[in-house]
Amino acid sequence: MFLRKKNNSPFYKVVIKENGTEKIISTGTSNYNEALLFMVKLMNGETPVKKKNVSILQVAAEKPQLKLSQFEDEYIKFISNNKTKSYIRSVKLSFKHFKAFTGDVPLNKIDVKLVDQFISFVSARSISGAGLYYRTLKAVFTKAEAWEYISFNPFKKIKTPKRPVSLPIFINQVELQEILNHLKNPLIHSITYTGFYTGMRLGELLNMKWSWINFNNKTIKVTNSESFISKGKRERTIPVNEKLLNLLLSIRPQIISIKNDDFVFPKSKYLKLNEDYVSKQFKKAIRASQLNDKIHFHTLRHSFASNLVQAGVSLYVVKELLGHADITTTSIYSHLTADNLTSAVALL
């Protein structure tokens, strides 16, 4: 007994060979999984009903369903080799809160109403948290849909939680120097300085190798490799000013037998610094400087962009320097352009 499908019919047929002859039974469906279920019932001596226009949801209901925790284990294992530790933590956190609300239910019991109730519940406590869980779980359930564990992704039916737009905090060169004065570790000092003058993300800075730096052209090229993929997989080239160039040149001779694949800011010769460690050391310097406690390491990236816009640089140029995929992301700095225009008109 086996399945067969010919060009002259859209439906799979069960072929039963008996005494040298073939008995053909139409399954009434063009879906392989439905046809296979039809044949299994025949083999078990049941009388299956032809399933014309049967939905995937009906077929899925007849299959054993994974529970949410089982799917979580499978998904975490799947992303463990190609996602960052911080992203995996956000996935685990999203699963944790979702399971706390829904219980460890089968995937096919998670519908649009349940998802809507969950997002509404979280939004009442934290809009930013609701946004994080929504984005993360939407991607998770898209994979569940692709793996045919569910017939559709219920998160796609829910609108993204709206959060109030807050303008990014940024610092100037005077405030940068105040922070640097409180950084006792020379390596963290150099990383902070480089972040302010390049707008590079912390992960990019800690993965930067000497091969990225072209001292002749005065540029840094953020480069993807087997061991590091930049956000959005976008490589970009960043010009280096004289201040930063001198800093990098002063670091370079201190490294013995330097190689192009050596890290610029290593913990030891072959080991990267930990992102959390750098962030905590930076935060200590902020508090020692008595600056705005909302300043964190990513503020250096905002500062790079904000200072450029205030100097009259086009948002489109800033977009390329930051490596944004869409100008709408860069538009958070557009209010600075408006301030410049207002100041210019005031001079008339």
Side-chain angles (χ1 to χ4, degrees):
M1 186 180 298
F2 59 92
L3 289 174
R4 183 168 69 194
K5 185 179 181 183
K6 292 187 175 181
N7 294 333
N8 60 355
S9 171
F11 301 135
Y12 282 97
K13 294 180 172 59
V14 178
V15 180
I16 306 172
K17 289 193 174 183
E18 294 178 344
N19 301 324
T21 61
E22 288 186 351
K23 182 179 178 182
I24 309 295
I25 301 175
S26 175
T27 64
T29 179
S30 59
N31 182 282
Y32 178 78
N33 289 330
E34 295 171 5
L36 188 61
L37 185 62
F38 185 98
M39 185 176 72
V40 169
K41 287 188 174 183
L42 276 180
M43 293 172 68
N44 291 334
E46 301 177 40
T47 305
V49 178
K50 293 181 182 180
K51 297 195 172 185
K52 290 184 180 180
N53 301 320
V54 174
S55 69
I56 297 175
L57 187 60
Q58 288 173 288
V59 176
E62 299 185 33
K63 298 180 181 179
Q65 277 292 317
L66 280 180
K67 288 193 172 182
L68 190 54
S69 61
Q70 293 173 310
F71 175 60
E72 177 186 5
D73 292 341
E74 187 175 355
Y75 185 79
I76 295 296
K77 184 177 180 181
F78 173 74
I79 66 172
S80 61
N81 293 325
N82 58 8
K83 296 294 183 182
T84 64
K85 290 181 180 179
S86 60
Y87 179 76
I88 293 172
R89 281 199 300 269
S90 70
V91 171
K92 289 181 178 179
L93 183 64
S94 300
F95 267 113
K96 176 183 176 181
H97 286 277
F98 193 47
K99 285 189 298 182
F101 183 83
T102 65
D104 192 15
V105 296
L107 290 186
N108 67 334
K109 297 298 182 182
I110 299 171
D111 57 15
V112 175
K113 182 179 179 181
L114 185 60
V115 169
D116 206 6
Q117 289 172 335
F118 168 68
I119 296 299
S120 177
F121 171 76
V122 178
S123 295
R125 298 185 300 172
S126 169
I127 290 293
S128 59
L132 171 66
Y133 303 152
Y134 170 83
R135 292 189 301 273
T136 305
L137 291 171
K138 184 179 179 182
V140 167
F141 276 78
T142 294
K143 185 59 68 176
E145 183 180 12
W147 288 347
E148 298 185 353
Y149 288 151
I150 54 176
S151 60
F152 72 100
N153 182 352
F155 282 85
K156 291 181 179 178
K157 299 282 186 177
I158 307 300
K159 291 184 178 180
T160 309
K162 291 184 178 180
R163 56 180 298 181
V165 178
S166 55
L167 300 177
I169 297 172
F170 63 95
I171 61 173
N172 56 33
Q173 292 184 9
V174 174
E175 291 166 321
L176 170 67
Q177 190 57 54
E178 184 66 24
I179 296 167
L180 294 174
N181 290 341
H182 288 87
L183 284 171
K184 306 305 180 185
N185 186 324
L187 198 57
I188 309 298
H189 185 287
S190 298
I191 292 169
T192 299
Y193 195 90
T194 307
F196 182 84
Y197 284 108
T198 63
M200 292 170 68
R201 301 176 180 92
L202 180 54
E204 294 169 342
L205 289 164
L206 300 188
N207 281 279
M208 179 165 62
K209 298 184 177 181
W210 288 106
S211 59
W212 293 18
I213 305 172
N214 188 319
F215 285 97
N216 293 325
N217 293 340
K218 301 179 181 179
T219 58
I220 295 174
K221 182 178 181 181
V222 178
T223 306
N224 294 325
S225 64
E226 290 184 4
S227 59
F228 172 74
I229 302 294
S230 63
K231 187 175 180 180
K233 301 180 180 180
R234 293 174 63 86
E235 295 188 346
R236 68 187 188 281
T237 299
I238 306 167
V240 175
N241 65 18
E242 289 296 330
K243 295 178 183 179
L244 180 55
L245 188 68
N246 290 333
L247 171 70
L248 294 172
L249 285 169
S250 71
I251 296 173
R252 187 176 169 87
Q254 298 173 17
I255 299 177
I256 302 171
S257 65
I258 189 170
K259 297 179 181 178
N260 279 338
D261 59 353
D262 285 344
F263 293 116
V264 176
F265 305 115
K267 178 179 180 181
S268 61
K269 188 172 182 181
Y270 301 109
L271 292 178
K272 285 190 303 180
L273 273 170
N274 180 276
E275 287 191 30
D276 288 340
Y277 172 75
V278 176
S279 295
K280 288 176 182 177
Q281 293 301 308
F282 181 83
K283 196 65 179 180
K284 285 181 181 179
I286 295 299
R287 288 169 179 163
S289 306
Q290 297 184 341
L291 294 172
N292 189 334
D293 199 57
K294 292 183 179 180
I295 296 173
H296 45 78
F297 194 90
H298 200 72
T299 301
L300 298 174
R301 180 169 164 85
H302 290 315
S303 302
F304 174 74
S306 300
N307 292 328
L308 285 175
V309 171
Q310 286 193 317
V313 177
S314 161
L315 285 176
Y316 286 93
V317 173
V318 175
K319 167 185 171 294
E320 294 304 314
L321 291 172
L322 292 178
H324 287 162
D326 196 312
I327 190 65
T328 55
T329 308
T330 322
S331 66
I332 60 171
Y333 306 106
S334 60
H335 70 288
L336 298 170
T337 305
D339 290 345
N340 285 345
L341 293 175
T342 301
S343 300
V345 172
L347 295 174
L348 297 177

